Amino acid sequence: MREQSFEKELKQSLHQVPDMINRNHFENTLLLARKESYRKQSRERISFVCFLAMQIKFIGWKIWSVQGIFLSVITSMFFRFYDYMKEPKYVGKLLFCLSVLVFMTALPFIYRSVRYQMQEIEATSRFSSIKLLMAKLIVIGIGDLSMLSGIFIIALIKTSLETDRIILYLCFPFLLVCGGCLFMLGHLAPKLFFIGSMGLCSFCVLASVIVPIHYAYLFQQSFSAKWIIVCALLVGFCIQQFHYIIYHSPYMEMQII
């Protein structure tokens, strides 16, 4: 058969409507379509609270376990080495570093889906990548607050620092790196976010360690009204960045780039 005649017959076959329709197959197809439509309409939708509970079951215990181990190590170090650094100014530096390290424990879990190349699957799941991220951040936030509370209680019992200074040394650095990392999470690709966040946290830790006490203005302060305003502004910035990630950021598109 020539190529032209074959092409002509193929076009005719593709455009030809079958004369005979199998009535049984047609009725079965309609029946299955109605069943699927009814099942989809009657299916109970999962609320975000239930989805969050599922995430706690699958990944939350892993995150909290790592954070619990980190808190146990901190507690052990406090009680073992505190006699070598009783001066409040050195304790302030230690609390500053620990506050940043608490936030750094969250970064590998946020970057986990990129590391294992799960972004495409998450993007096509029933709950969007944004809601998955929200659930993950809520779980991490609960763990971080628990860790900061634990460090606060340990410092309050073991050190001679005033309560307001402990709050300042824990809240300010945590909110600072949290705001910076949330900004990068909403504006940068995942790999750049991880590198930038690790760089920011490392810089804050090194700066607090390297800067001499006499020039470290922060470690001579109490939680006064001006610091309350600064921390309140940082809280507002974190909330604004979180809102931007949820409603305006091209987060899902950046995950699959």
Side-chain angles (χ1 to χ4, degrees), residues 59 62 107-117 136:
I59 66 171
K62 298 178 183 179
L107 296 178
F109 294 103
I110 299 175
Y111 185 68
R112 186 171 179 269
S113 60
V114 178
R115 179 185 175 187
Y116 293 104
Q117 299 181 351
K136 196 177 296 184

Side-chain angles (χ1 to χ4, degrees), residues 13 36 42 56 69 76 84 88 99 128 140 212-213 240 255:
S13 299
E36 180 63 24
S42 61
I56 292 174
I69 293 172
S76 177
Y84 300 97
S99 178
S128 65
I140 291 171
I213 290 293
Q240 190 270 334
Q255 293 295 299

Side-chain angles (χ1 to χ4, degrees), residues 78-114:
F78 244 106
F79 283 93
R80 179 171 297 185
F81 300 108
Y82 177 70
D83 292 336
Y84 300 97
M85 49 181 184
K86 287 185 177 180
E87 294 188 38
K89 54 188 178 182
Y90 294 116
V91 177
K93 279 197 169 191
L94 176 62
L95 294 177
F96 187 100
C97 294
L98 291 177
S99 178
V100 178
L101 291 175
V102 164
F103 183 82
M104 288 183 72
T105 60
L107 296 178
F109 294 103
I110 299 175
Y111 185 68
R112 186 171 179 269
S113 60
V114 178

Side-chain angles (χ1 to χ4, degrees), residues 133-219:
L133 177 66
M134 285 175 58
K136 196 177 296 184
L137 290 178
I138 290 173
V139 171
I140 291 171
I142 293 172
D144 285 348
L145 290 177
S146 301
M147 292 175 67
L148 290 175
S149 300
I151 296 173
F152 171 79
I153 294 173
I154 295 169
L156 193 63
I157 295 173
K158 191 65 179 175
T159 71
S160 59
L161 285 178
E162 298 86 353
T163 303
D164 60 335
R165 294 182 69 180
I166 297 175
I167 295 174
L168 173 62
Y169 298 152
L170 290 177
C171 287
F172 173 71
F174 182 83
L175 292 173
L176 181 65
V177 295
C178 182
C181 292
L182 283 176
F183 177 83
M184 287 185 278
L185 181 62
H187 292 81
L188 300 179
K191 290 184 179 179
L192 293 178
F193 153 74
F194 184 74
I195 295 173
S197 298
M198 291 295 293
L200 174 62
C201 294
S202 301
F203 172 78
C204 291
V205 171
L206 290 175
S208 65
V209 172
I210 295 174
V211 175
I213 290 293
H214 300 292
Y215 297 98
Y217 177 75
L218 173 64
F219 303 117

